[in-house]
């Protein structure tokens, strides 16, 4: 009898639920941040922003279940994946909303999703050009880039705010990090695997007397609220808006492909081109559902990839459970508001710091599978990591470029992945690479001749 892979094995109900909750808590703050930022940027009222949050969680939950369990032969990569809204689409959505209105935002998203579903299989045909050299580089860039996000949650992002960089918040995050490290390194069995969740819960308890846990007034928040299709009216499809959201979908595809291959490497479950294609169809479906239910385009949440690497719990039934929980949060907005109020940002930032750095470590481990003793491969990695981190380290670097270009250039993950992909293609799949390696191979002999000639 063929052994069942750990990815395909359900866990006992209690453990499965606990790990599913852990995944939700890890992604929840990041999952609701996009609708909050988008709503604030275009001046939406609190009730409408609440609607966007509910829709965001609902669609993320549906796509997470589809990616984890699959939808027949149509969609889903069948890996332990948690999906959430990608910030790649934020800038174009804001610009489209201000220029054409919300009907155009979600009409363009709907069209981009349909185009994404149609192009998923052709895009998956290039999966062989994403070896460990490329995926390891992307993971390293992702992990290092996300550390800045964790830092922002801990110290704040507004230097003029009175709570910015307060020692108490930094101390809270430090305590959470210490607790997480203690359980991950010293715990045994399930205690080690639940280290992240335990650190979150203890962090919440510590934060209560600090006044950081504030649920707020829930009087106007409904218990049940299913998002209605086309809340802002009939969708509109301006050509410029559709092109912009199609570019966003292509970028999301690039990120998801790298993330799916990374999850495959972490879990040891090999995936085929067809699996990747079905996973990308899932991304496309998120655009379709996002356009209908006024949500956002979803991709694999790399925060949860870090959790897989840290806990080594790789059952896809765990993430499917997370998807069901997200759907419940999407249709129970009052419960979602309570959860959001219970998790202070420094607590999330402290745990995130550990998880995000773990992603970078996984990237380094993946790169060890590549031949970095080869000078050309080492140069590809060095250049790609440098290019990928530039927009993260130099904020506003591309602010004077056209908006369509900013969609691509302000994403360090996209720049790093694109650079690694192109350089790998150029130097490992063409005659240019053969010429380059021939030149490298001849260097020691040339150097010997020059040395002997100088005597």
């Amino acid at each position: 009898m063929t052994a069942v892979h750990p990815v395909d094995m359900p866990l006992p109900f209690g453990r499965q639920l606990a790990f599913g909750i852990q995944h939700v808590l890890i992604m929840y703050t990041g999952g609701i941040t996009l609708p909050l930022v988008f709503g604030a940027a275009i001046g939406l009222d609190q009730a409408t922003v609440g609607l966007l949050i509910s829709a965001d969680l609902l669609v993320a939950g549906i796509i997470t279940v589809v990616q984890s369990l699959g939808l027949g032969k149509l969609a889903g990569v069948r890996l332990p994946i948690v999906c959430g809204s990608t910030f790649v689409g934020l800038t174009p959505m804001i610009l489209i909303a201000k220029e054409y209105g919300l009907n155009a935002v979600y009409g363009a998203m709907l069209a981009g999703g349909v185009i994404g579903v149609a192009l998923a299989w052709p895009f998956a045909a290039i999966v062989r050009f994403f070896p460990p050299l490329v995926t390891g580089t992307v993971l390293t860039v992702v992990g290092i880039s996300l550390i800045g996000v964790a830092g922002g949650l801990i110290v704040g992002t507004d230097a003029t705010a009175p709570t910015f960089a307060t020692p108490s918040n930094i101390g809270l995050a430090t305590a959470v990090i210490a607790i997480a490290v203690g359980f991950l390194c010293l715990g045994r069995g399930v205690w080690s695997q639940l280290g992240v969740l335990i650190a979150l819960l203890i962090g919440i308890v510590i934060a209560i007397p600090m006044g950081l846990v504030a649920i707020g007034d829930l009087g106007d928040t409904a218990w049940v609220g299913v998002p209605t299709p086309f809340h802002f009216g009939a969708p509109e499809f301006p050509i410029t808006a559709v092109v912009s959201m199609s570019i966003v979908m292509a970028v999301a595809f690039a990120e998801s492909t790298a993330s799916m291959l990374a999850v495959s490497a972490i879990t040891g479950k090999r995936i085929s081109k067809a699996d990747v294609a079905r996973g990308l169809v899932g991304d496309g479906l998120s655009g379709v559902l996002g356009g209908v239910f006024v949500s956002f385009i979803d991709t694999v949440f790399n925060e949860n990839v870090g959790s897989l690497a840290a806990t080594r719990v790789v059952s896809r039934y765990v993430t499917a459970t997370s998807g069901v929980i997200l759907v419940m949060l999407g249709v129970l907005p009052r419960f979602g508001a309570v959860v959001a109020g219970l998790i202070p940002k420094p607590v999330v930032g402290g745990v995130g710091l550990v998880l995000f750095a773990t992603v970078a470590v996984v990237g380094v481990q993946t790169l060890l599978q590549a031949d970095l003793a080869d000078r050309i491969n080492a140069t590809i990695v060095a250049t790609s990591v440098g290019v990928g981190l530039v927009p993260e380290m130099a904020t506003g670097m591309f602010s004077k470029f056209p908006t369509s270009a900013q969609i691509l250039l302000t994403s360090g993950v996209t720049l790093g992945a694109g650079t690694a992909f192109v350089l790998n293609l150029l130097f490992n799949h063409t005659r240019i690479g053969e010429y380059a390696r021939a030149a490298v191979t001849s260097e020691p002999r040339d150097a010997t001749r020059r040395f002997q000639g100088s005597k």
Side-chain angles (χ1 to χ4, degrees):
M1 180 180 293
T2 304
V4 179
H5 195 281
V7 166
D8 301 315
M9 293 178 61
L11 303 182
F13 177 77
R15 294 182 65 193
Q16 191 161 294
L17 178 61
F19 290 126
I21 293 172
Q22 176 172 279
H23 273 296
V24 171
L25 290 176
I26 289 169
M27 65 80 64
Y28 191 84
T29 299
I32 67 173
T33 299
L34 185 56
L36 288 172
V37 174
F38 176 66
I42 63 174
L44 297 180
D45 59 64
Q46 185 176 351
T48 304
V49 173
L51 171 69
L52 295 183
I53 291 174
S54 295
D56 183 39
L57 295 173
L58 175 64
V59 173
I62 293 172
I63 299 303
T64 296
V65 172
V66 169
Q67 296 286 32
S68 299
L69 302 182
L71 189 62
K73 296 182 178 180
L74 299 176
V77 68
R78 292 176 174 82
L79 285 177
I81 281 174
V82 176
C83 297
S85 50
T86 173
F87 273 85
V88 172
L90 179 60
T91 299
M93 288 180 67
I94 292 172
L95 294 174
I96 294 168
K98 291 182 176 179
E99 181 70 22
Y100 301 106
L102 289 169
N103 291 14
V105 170
Y106 291 104
M109 185 181 298
L110 175 60
V114 172
I115 293 171
V117 170
L119 295 180
W121 283 85
F123 193 95
I126 65 173
V127 69
R128 68 187 182 92
F129 298 116
F130 284 84
L133 185 70
V134 175
T135 56
T137 299
V138 172
L139 275 176
T140 303
V141 171
V142 167
I144 296 174
S145 300
L146 287 175
I147 290 174
V149 176
L153 290 171
I154 295 170
V155 304
T157 55
D158 182 4
T160 63
T163 57
F164 181 80
T166 55
S168 58
N169 285 357
I170 296 174
L172 174 59
T174 302
V176 170
I177 292 171
I179 295 166
V181 171
F183 276 95
L184 289 171
C185 295
L186 302 177
R188 294 292 183 267
V190 70
W191 292 107
S192 174
Q193 295 170 336
L194 288 176
V196 173
L197 177 59
I198 294 171
L200 280 171
L201 294 177
I202 296 178
I204 292 171
V205 173
I206 296 174
I208 292 175
M210 297 173 64
L212 297 178
V213 178
I215 298 175
D217 183 12
L218 301 177
D220 295 331
T221 304
W223 282 105
V224 179
V226 179
T228 55
F230 304 116
H231 175 79
F232 298 112
E236 298 177 1
F237 306 95
I239 296 299
T240 303
V242 171
V243 171
S244 295
M245 294 309 294
S246 297
I247 293 174
V248 169
M249 184 59 68
V251 174
F253 273 11
E255 292 186 11
S256 280
T257 298
S259 296
M260 285 187 284
L261 293 174
V263 172
S264 173
I266 291 170
T267 62
K269 178 71 178 291
R270 297 186 64 179
I271 56 176
S272 65
K273 181 176 70 175
D275 293 322
V276 173
R278 286 192 289 268
L280 297 179
V281 170
D283 283 1
L285 286 177
S286 76
V288 174
L289 291 176
V292 173
F293 291 106
V294 297
S295 178
F296 303 87
I297 293 173
D298 290 332
T299 58
V300 180
F301 249 43
N302 287 302
E303 292 91 330
N304 297 88
V305 174
S307 178
L308 292 175
T311 65
R312 310 308 300 178
V313 176
V314 298
S315 171
R316 59 193 175 98
Y317 294 95
V318 168
T319 52
T321 302
S322 303
V324 173
I325 295 171
L326 288 171
V327 170
M328 292 174 60
L329 291 174
V331 299
L332 297 173
R334 177 169 289 214
F335 180 69
V338 170
V339 173
L342 281 176
I343 311 177
K345 290 182 179 180
V347 173
V348 179
V351 171
L353 192 66
V354 176
L355 297 181
F356 300 159
T358 301
V359 174
V361 172
V362 172
V364 173
Q365 291 174 335
T366 304
L367 284 173
L368 292 177
Q369 302 174 33
D371 182 14
L372 295 186
D374 182 311
R375 190 182 73 182
I376 293 173
N377 284 347
T379 302
I380 291 172
V381 173
T383 303
S384 302
V385 170
V387 171
L389 291 179
V390 162
E392 306 296 338
M393 304 297 181
T395 305
M397 179 177 179
F398 300 108
S399 59
K400 295 185 179 180
F401 281 63
T403 302
S404 57
Q406 289 185 43
I407 295 172
L408 301 175
L409 298 177
T410 55
S411 170
V413 175
T414 302
L415 277 184
T419 303
F421 174 78
V422 171
L423 292 180
N424 175 66
L425 190 66
L426 183 65
F427 289 107
N428 287 321
H429 295 278
T430 69
R431 290 187 177 181
I432 294 176
E434 297 174 4
Y435 172 80
R437 280 179 173 75
V440 170
T441 303
S442 68
E443 282 184 358
R445 293 194 298 271
D446 293 342
T448 300
R449 292 192 194 101
R450 288 193 297 270
F451 177 74
Q452 291 174 343
S454 65
K455 285 185 176 180

